Amino acid sequence: MAGFSLEESAPKILGVSVLVVAFIYIIYPPGLLLIPLTIFVFAFATKNEKTSSKNVDTFFSGFKIGGHRGAPKSFPENSMAGFAQAKADGADLIEFDVALTKDGKAVLMHDDDLDRTTDLKGPIRDKTRAELDRCNISATFIRTAPGDHSRLGSVSRERVPDMEDVVRWAVENNTRMLFDVKDSDNELVDQIANLFQKYNLYDKAIVCSFFPWVVYRIKKGDQQILTGLTWRLKFWSYHDIENLRPRYSGPKQLLFAAIDVLHVWLLKRVTPWYLGADLLLTNNLDISQTLILDQKRRGMRVAVWTVNDMAEMHWMLETLKVPILTDYPELTKQAAHLEEVKKSNYMPMHKSSSDL
Ligand SMILES: *[C@@H]1O[C@H](CO)[C@@H](O)[C@H](O)[C@H]1NC(C)=O
Ligand SMILES: *[C@@H]1O[C@H](CO)[C@@H](O)[C@H](O)[C@H]1NC(C)=O
């Protein structure tokens, strides 16, 4: 079942830590010096190794523009039609979200339930693959692609794709892949690792997650799999990128706000080293030249999600030279021809960003 839950564990971890420190302090105060030493030894003993740099270089040499869930303004997100459109629009990578059905089939779906993206309801974990086949992921979809009015309106029926079908398609069509994984379920992690072996995805795909323990487990299972840590400010304390919907209330919200500060501080310094991660998948509101240079110095790559504004695309692709994920892969061709945008005029816009 779903792995580690920070929500349940954070207060316990904090409580136990305080007790341990208090206990050591009472029986033998100098013993507190052993705590950092223990953490240090433990970290070295359990850390992951990084992937060989050859595969990392090959992967990133072919990744500039990623279709975020395909081409989600032209076709339903995470649909085969959307991936083909993203490629036709100039994307060299497709990003997708993986989930398991009740009968253990790995499929593509972003949310935990079917409500938003299909004409059925309920958690995906309660549906078998056969039941999922009855849902229509075009039913709630309306095209909003800019520029091309022939693309407006509804689209014909799309089904929830199998993870393996999408992987096979991407390999055949020479398109890189970014797997977005939200739980550390053994079964899902194993299925992803098997696909890496079966289709030799080691320089063609990367597995990313907001959850460090997912990145850790993937890399632990197969050191050659490229991995990335996805992040944004205040992820653990707010549901949404605008930071309007707190996840908790009262002291718990404060605890998770503190976890956020610590998490971001650590992920720029030690977390990727410990996880063996190759990429920091950074939100467009948190990107800067300094971050990119600093991470480069540490041997880390940086990519940006989700860049939908043309001037912003130009800035990322031409000035910062970082790969992007976008909902509008068709705009990237025009963006490349935009004139250099003066950095002083540049302000990232909240509305151009969506949840990963
Ligand atoms: C799926 O939804 C689309 C868009 O509303 C519709 O055109 C199509 O007929 C639906 N297909 C089925 C089989 O329900
Ligand atoms: C993807 O590859 C398949 C099989 O090689 C081919 O039939 C299809 O036309 C390709 N699609 C795109 C969008 O390139």
Side-chain angles (χ1 to χ4, degrees):
M1 295 313 324
F4 181 82
S5 152
L6 191 65
E7 178 186 352
E8 287 163 19
S9 310
K12 284 183 212 152
I13 293 172
L14 189 71
V16 171
S17 311
V18 169
L19 284 180
V20 168
V21 170
F23 181 71
I24 297 175
Y25 182 74
I26 290 166
I27 60 165
Y28 185 58
L32 287 181
L33 288 174
L34 286 176
I35 293 175
L37 185 69
T38 312
I39 293 174
F40 201 65
V41 171
F42 177 81
F44 265 95
T46 57
K47 80 185 263 301
N48 282 334
E49 295 304 322
K50 278 184 82 146
T51 303
S52 83
S53 60
K54 189 168 151 286
N55 283 347
V56 179
D57 291 345
T58 310
F59 176 81
F60 282 98
S61 70
F63 168 31
K64 294 204 166 44
I65 296 157
H68 178 231
R69 308 180 200 167
K73 305 296 175 179
S74 304
F75 284 96
E77 64 181 54
N78 289 315
S79 68
M80 283 307 296
F83 298 131
Q85 187 65 51
K87 180 172 172 62
D89 287 341
D92 47 23
L93 172 143
I94 53 172
E95 185 263 357
F96 48 79
D97 307 280
V98 297
L100 276 186
T101 62
K102 190 178 175 185
D103 50 347
K105 273 290 237 177
V107 297
L108 301 201
M109 183 160 298
H110 177 271
D111 300 358
D112 297 332
D113 58 49
L114 311 181
D115 304 25
R116 179 180 60 90
T117 55
T118 82
D119 49 356
L120 297 183
K121 291 210 179 311
I124 186 163
R125 279 305 185 119
D126 293 350
K127 308 280 184 216
T128 62
R129 171 72 248 192
E131 283 170 326
L132 271 190
D133 260 335
R134 275 181 238 131
C135 78
N136 183 353
I137 62 172
S138 304
T140 59
F141 175 75
I142 298 169
R143 277 180 166 167
T144 51
D148 180 358
H149 290 282
S150 65
R151 282 202 201 163
L152 297 182
S154 59
V155 300
S156 59
R157 180 175 192 270
E158 286 288 321
R159 74 191 278 268
V160 176
D162 286 337
M163 174 167 73
E164 180 161 3
D165 289 345
V166 173
V167 166
R168 195 182 310 113
W169 177 90
V171 170
E172 282 170 5
N173 292 280
N174 194 24
T175 304
R176 303 263 197 274
M177 288 158 264
L178 192 155
F179 292 67
D180 189 344
V181 183
K182 292 192 177 59
D183 74 46
S184 57
D185 189 298
N186 291 344
E187 179 60 27
L188 187 58
V189 168
D190 287 350
Q191 289 195 29
I192 292 170
N194 288 342
L195 286 183
F196 267 76
Q197 251 182 10
K198 182 170 173 187
Y199 293 95
N200 192 19
L201 302 182
Y202 298 103
D203 57 2
K204 300 181 181 71
I206 191 164
V207 181
C208 294
S209 183
F210 271 106
F211 306 105
W213 50 91
V214 174
V215 176
Y216 184 82
R217 284 228 35 217
I218 294 270
K219 198 70 148 195
K220 197 51 121 193
D222 184 345
Q223 193 207 315
Q224 289 309 313
I225 296 179
L226 300 190
T227 56
L229 188 60
T230 312
W231 71 284
R232 64 170 165 84
L233 291 177
K234 305 191 182 178
F235 172 76
W236 301 106
S237 50
Y238 285 88
H239 284 289
D240 59 324
I241 196 149
E242 284 86 13
N243 302 327
L244 298 173
R245 291 187 295 126
R247 289 187 194 268
Y248 314 103
S249 59
K252 203 163 178 190
Q253 179 66 7
L254 283 181
L255 172 64
F256 279 85
I259 288 176
D260 268 322
V261 174
L262 183 65
H263 176 65
V264 169
W265 192 87
L266 288 173
L267 74 80
K268 290 179 181 173
R269 292 166 181 86
V270 287
T271 313
W273 165 82
Y274 180 70
L275 302 176
D278 308 285
L279 169 72
L280 273 189
L281 187 51
T282 303
N283 181 248
N284 60 331
L285 303 176
D286 304 321
I287 198 82
S288 69
Q289 187 102 51
T290 319
L291 175 87
I292 296 167
L293 290 176
D294 188 42
Q295 291 305 316
K296 194 172 174 188
R297 213 163 38 75
R298 295 168 190 274
M300 291 290 294
R301 306 285 183 140
V302 175
V304 192
W305 62 281
T306 303
V307 183
N308 290 339
D309 175 80
M310 260 211 278
E312 202 183 341
M313 281 176 190
H314 183 88
W315 186 55
M316 304 285 178
L317 294 169
E318 307 298 324
T319 309
L320 298 181
K321 300 203 185 303
V322 281
I324 63 167
L325 299 182
T326 176
D327 291 333
Y328 295 97
E330 79 264 38
L331 291 184
T332 53
K333 283 178 198 142
Q334 282 163 270
H337 300 301
L338 276 189
E339 286 195 22
E340 178 75 21
V341 185
K342 285 208 192 71
K343 252 183 263 159
S344 55
N345 292 342
Y346 177 75
M347 275 294 291
M349 294 187 305
H350 278 253
K351 65 172 186 287
S352 68
S353 183
S354 63
D355 286 337
L356 192 73

